[in-house]
Amino acid sequence: MTKNAIGALFFLAFSSFYFFNVFSIKKMPGSQFEVMTASTFPYYIGIFGIVVSLLILILSFVKKDKDFLSMDYVKSLDFKTTIYFVLAMLFYGFTIRTLGFIISTIIFLFIGFILLKERNIKRILLISCSVSIGFYLLLNNVLGVYIDPGMLYEYFIGDQS
Amino acid sequence: MMEGIFAGVITAFTMYNILMVAVGCFAGTFIGMLPGLGPISAIALMIPITYGMEPSSGLILIAGVYYGAIFGGSTSSILINAPGVAGTVASSFDGYPMAKNGQAGKALAIAAYSSFTGGTIAAVFLLFAAPALANVSLSFQSSDYFALMVLGLTAVAAFAGKGKFLKAAIMTIFGLMLATVGTDSDSGIPRFTFGRLDLIDGISFLLLAMAAFALSEAMMNILENKKQSKQELDALKKDIGSLKITRAEVKEMAPTVGRSSVLGFFVGVLPGAGATIASFLAYGMERSIANAKDKLNFGKGSIKGLAAPESANNAACSGSFVPLLTLGIPGSGTTAIILGALISYGIQPGPTMYVDNPALFWSVIISMYIGNVVLLVLNLPLIPYIARLLTIPKQLLLPLIIFFSLIGVYLVTFNNFDIYMMTMFAVVALFLRIIDFPMAPMILGFILGGMMEDNLRRALTISDGSFAFLWERPITLTILIITVILLLMPVISEFIANRKKGQEA
């Protein structure tokens, strides 16, 4: 399948989903007298989205588009590490409030370096800890941005605010 | 006007703001050097830092980052033939052969001097063009603004390149769709929030920009698992040689720089065109007007071939500020990000900014000039050392870029839902990058979406619900005619190309 056809199918699905949801936007009483409601603009964009993605799809067949997504290229991609990284990012989002900024950042960076095959543990620990603590101190003491130390910290140390 | 300029000079020349320009140029140069991370990513990464600053200082820092990133992109183009951004691709045509011939220092110096001159000439043009256009745009009404935004979005698609018109168009529409998520500004009705309170304020532009550019680029690096070749590492560690250029070389490149700067500025002013088109046009123009002997040199280390795209891309950067500062309409992905930053500072760019915030308006223009001086005086001598930073292994650099992207967005709202949403957008952006769909039109559509809807609503209300406003006002009609011409341009050019082919056959 060509890259354009894949993209067109993705946007056709997304635009259709978007257009379908336009009809669930609530209307204010008396909105029928208004020149433009909350759903007017999305309604037209949804139509444009469907029309343009259909155009891309049709043209990719009519013009005999040759820009295929090469299987050799797809096979050369490192999906495993990328998926692990995505999971690490989600884990970071999940732990930043519970474990607190410093611990969760150290863990995230540690996992990141390991996933990318950095094997020097001393270097990994040094960078993870120094970036995490250094950035925390910079934010709290220099830039005046307060970061929540995390629920775990509050549970053991208590809320000091 | 003079009062505004003086206020701008005073604001720009405070120690703090000069420091911000320097920091911006330095950070921009470093980030811009990293393959794939261009000005948009560099600016997006720096925006969270500017939230605690005065708007003028924040914008000055961002302008410095913009220039620095373009210069950084040129550096990696010249040294390792790996342009950080599309705008510096043309610089590698002759810059890299020069570096291979042992003249890396000279190539970098030519790039820096050409960028400086291009930026300076464009800053002077900007000094006159911006107020003139701001005065004209004071008479603009909602219908004209709506038409201008349609023109801006169409132009981005039209200039996206051969065969990419529809791809850019659908990405723009995608951006417009994402802009409608959240509470409708007029009626207060939630749209596409699916009952989630986290979406009630809509999607943050910083989140989207960071996910679509910095984060997805870093993830693309992980996905493609590209290692820096030994050749690249050697090139970065190698002595770059003398930075001096001779009087004869200055004489040779002076007319090129002058022509390319003027061309670059005007291309930059056009919505959708920007640094990439400016640099390629300037390179093409110089090659076509060069004499037979010089022409042979192009692509093999020609001084003119390097000076032309370098001055043009820098001049285009300044040029792209004209529609942003005077009309409040960004003409490129980068200026769209800057517009987003301005809005988050509580400033609405446009003719009113010129009237209400003259100090800010002029300080940005003046700081662009300071930025050019900083690039020349500070960055050029430091380039050998900054380039060494590129030898930091990717396995250390990439997790840090991802961390700064995530935390930059988290620090604005302290909502971990933003991290989840960012990860999701980054995955979508990664998929779209694999199938070659451009990201810049999406961010432009996203930024302009809300403003477009507001102006359409106002125009429709004034005309009592009738779409006649599209052809009743001469300014609106003229802008829309230009839009239609731009829309038809790909069809016309294909028709002409087919006809030529037919005649040849």
Side-chain angles (χ1 to χ4, degrees):
Chain A
M1 207 178 223
T2 64
K3 289 178 180 175
N4 281 5
I6 297 170
L9 284 174
F10 169 78
F11 281 114
L12 186 60
F14 184 83
S15 303
S16 308
F17 172 75
Y18 178 89
F19 187 65
F20 176 74
N21 274 285
V22 167
F23 298 98
S24 50
I25 297 173
K26 285 182 187 146
K27 287 202 163 52
M28 296 274 272
S31 62
Q32 66 270 30
F33 304 113
E34 283 185 25
V35 290
M36 204 168 146
T37 65
S39 58
T40 313
F41 193 62
Y43 177 82
Y44 289 110
I45 303 172
I47 293 178
F48 275 125
I50 293 171
V51 170
V52 175
S53 43
L54 274 174
L55 256 175
I56 300 174
L57 190 66
I58 294 166
L59 284 177
S60 71
F61 290 113
V62 173
K63 282 185 158 184
K64 294 187 179 106
D65 186 8
K66 289 187 185 75
D67 190 13
F68 290 99
L69 183 62
S70 144
M71 276 327 278
D72 290 336
Y73 172 70
V74 175
K75 278 177 190 165
S76 72
L77 299 175
D78 188 356
F79 284 106
K80 202 172 130 189
T81 313
T82 313
I83 291 169
Y84 283 143
F85 233 103
V86 169
L87 293 175
M89 280 149 68
L90 294 174
F91 177 75
Y92 185 53
F94 182 69
T95 53
I96 197 163
R97 302 281 300 267
T98 46
L99 296 179
F101 173 80
I102 294 178
I103 298 173
S104 60
T105 303
I106 291 173
I107 297 172
F108 173 72
L109 288 175
F110 187 90
I111 295 172
F113 294 139
I114 293 285
L115 281 176
L116 294 185
K117 299 180 180 71
E118 171 61 47
R119 292 289 171 259
N120 189 334
I121 295 292
K122 263 189 208 163
R123 194 195 270 179
I124 291 175
L125 282 174
L126 184 76
I127 299 176
S128 317
C129 294
S130 55
V131 167
S132 172
I133 296 167
F135 198 63
Y136 180 82
L137 293 174
L138 179 81
L139 286 171
N140 279 280
N141 301 327
V142 181
L143 297 174
V145 181
Y146 173 74
I147 307 187
D148 190 0
M151 292 176 198
L152 210 66
Y153 177 89
E154 279 163 18
Y155 181 77
F156 287 109
I157 313 287
D159 190 357
Q160 311 232 321
S161 58
Chain B
M1 185 171 131
M2 286 313 284
E3 274 174 36
I5 295 177
F6 280 127
V9 170
I10 292 166
T11 311
F13 276 94
T14 57
M15 264 320 279
Y16 184 72
N17 285 343
I18 290 176
L19 183 72
M20 284 305 112
V21 180
V23 169
C25 285
F26 188 79
T29 306
F30 174 59
I31 302 171
M33 264 189 197
L34 302 170
L37 290 183
I40 300 184
S41 307
I43 293 169
L45 280 166
M46 297 300 280
I47 285 175
I49 299 170
T50 65
Y51 280 147
M53 296 176 187
E54 284 283 310
S56 54
S57 306
L59 204 56
I60 285 170
L61 176 83
I62 287 172
V65 172
Y66 189 10
Y67 281 105
I70 290 281
F71 184 63
S74 308
T75 308
S76 52
S77 284
I78 291 167
L79 292 181
I80 54 174
N81 199 20
V85 270
T88 60
V89 170
S91 307
S92 66
F93 296 164
D94 283 284
Y96 183 60
M98 279 182 85
K100 272 210 311 196
N101 296 338
Q103 292 181 308
K106 183 170 281 192
L108 287 170
I110 290 170
Y113 290 125
S114 309
S115 301
F116 172 75
T117 318
T120 306
I121 293 174
V124 174
F125 272 63
L126 188 63
L127 214 64
F128 294 103
L133 196 59
N135 281 328
V136 172
S137 63
L138 276 170
S139 62
F140 278 23
Q141 290 183 2
S142 343
S143 58
D144 308 325
Y145 275 112
F146 174 73
L148 262 175
M149 285 166 198
V150 176
L151 171 67
L153 295 179
T154 313
V156 170
F159 290 121
K162 198 171 176 279
K164 285 187 178 166
F165 179 81
L166 286 174
K167 279 181 171 184
I170 193 72
M171 288 305 286
T172 309
I173 295 169
F174 185 41
L176 289 171
M177 286 176 179
L178 295 177
T180 58
V181 175
T183 309
D184 174 38
S185 60
D186 185 58
S187 60
I189 293 171
R191 301 185 292 195
F192 310 104
T193 54
F194 307 104
R196 279 210 72 105
L197 279 177
D198 304 287
L199 288 171
I200 231 72
D201 285 338
I203 300 163
S204 130
F205 101 91
L206 184 63
L207 184 151
L208 195 66
M210 210 80 109
F213 293 95
L215 200 54
S216 75
E217 192 51 56
M219 286 169 71
M220 195 72 191
N221 266 289
I222 296 170
L223 189 65
E224 289 188 330
N225 196 16
K226 270 187 200 155
K227 294 263 185 304
Q228 255 177 334
S229 67
K230 199 179 169 298
Q231 204 183 352
E232 281 178 10
L233 287 171
D234 289 345
L236 290 168
K237 283 175 188 163
K238 210 166 68 178
D239 182 27
I240 61 164
S242 167
L243 290 166
K244 277 186 188 150
I245 47 176
T246 64
R247 193 181 282 253
E249 284 164 342
V250 172
K251 225 174 171 180
E252 190 188 337
M253 68 185 216
T256 301
V257 170
R259 280 191 294 267
S260 306
S261 305
V262 177
L263 176 80
F265 177 79
F266 286 107
V267 173
V269 172
L270 295 175
T276 312
I277 292 178
S279 60
F280 276 100
L281 274 180
Y283 186 84
M285 179 179 81
E286 279 309 312
R287 197 170 56 176
S288 59
I289 60 170
N291 58 39
K293 195 183 143 204
D294 279 352
K295 214 174 249 178
L296 286 174
N297 225 355
F298 272 78
K300 293 173 190 160
S302 158
I303 292 173
K304 285 181 181 174
L306 175 60
E310 275 302 311
S311 23
N313 70 22
N314 229 279
C317 290
S318 301
S320 66
F321 274 85
V322 174
L324 175 75
L325 294 176
T326 56
L327 301 170
I329 293 168
S332 62
T334 317
T335 42
I337 299 273
I338 298 174
L339 174 65
L342 274 169
I343 294 169
S344 55
Y345 299 150
I347 292 162
Q348 183 63 51
T352 47
M353 178 182 160
Y354 170 65
V355 178
D356 300 338
N357 274 308
L360 175 67
F361 182 90
W362 288 108
S363 65
V364 174
I365 294 178
I366 289 154
S367 66
M368 282 180 191
Y369 191 73
I370 304 173
N372 280 305
V373 177
V374 169
L375 278 180
L376 194 70
V377 178
L378 198 71
N379 277 24
L380 184 62
L382 288 176
I383 272 296
Y385 308 101
I386 304 175
R388 296 259 161 93
L389 290 172
L390 276 180
T391 58
I392 297 173
K394 275 191 178 174
Q395 65 264 31
L396 296 179
L397 214 51
L398 292 175
L400 289 174
I401 292 174
I402 292 177
F403 159 68
F404 282 116
S405 308
L406 292 174
I407 206 67
V409 171
Y410 177 76
L411 286 179
V412 179
T413 56
F414 292 98
N415 183 357
N416 47 356
F417 180 76
D418 282 356
I419 295 184
Y420 304 141
M421 197 152 62
M422 218 176 145
T423 310
M424 188 197 76
F425 279 127
V427 172
V428 174
L430 197 61
F431 161 70
L432 293 172
R433 273 172 189 272
I434 292 172
I435 53 172
D436 288 338
F437 277 65
M439 289 293 133
M442 180 197 66
I443 209 77
L444 202 62
F446 181 78
I447 301 272
L448 287 182
M451 294 184 341
M452 216 170 146
E453 188 177 7
D454 288 344
N455 281 295
L456 177 65
R457 181 177 287 127
R458 235 171 279 147
L460 276 172
T461 311
I462 292 167
S463 65
D464 211 13
S466 158
F467 276 95
F469 71 86
L470 294 174
W471 52 85
E472 271 176 353
R473 272 181 64 78
I475 303 175
T476 317
L477 185 65
T478 312
I479 299 167
L480 286 176
I481 289 172
I482 299 170
T483 310
V484 173
I485 294 170
L486 275 175
L487 262 173
L488 293 175
M489 222 167 63
V491 184
I492 296 168
S493 60
E494 198 171 317
F495 176 73
I496 294 169
N498 283 345
R499 224 176 127 179
K500 263 187 188 170
K501 258 188 204 169
Q503 278 173 352
E504 279 167 17

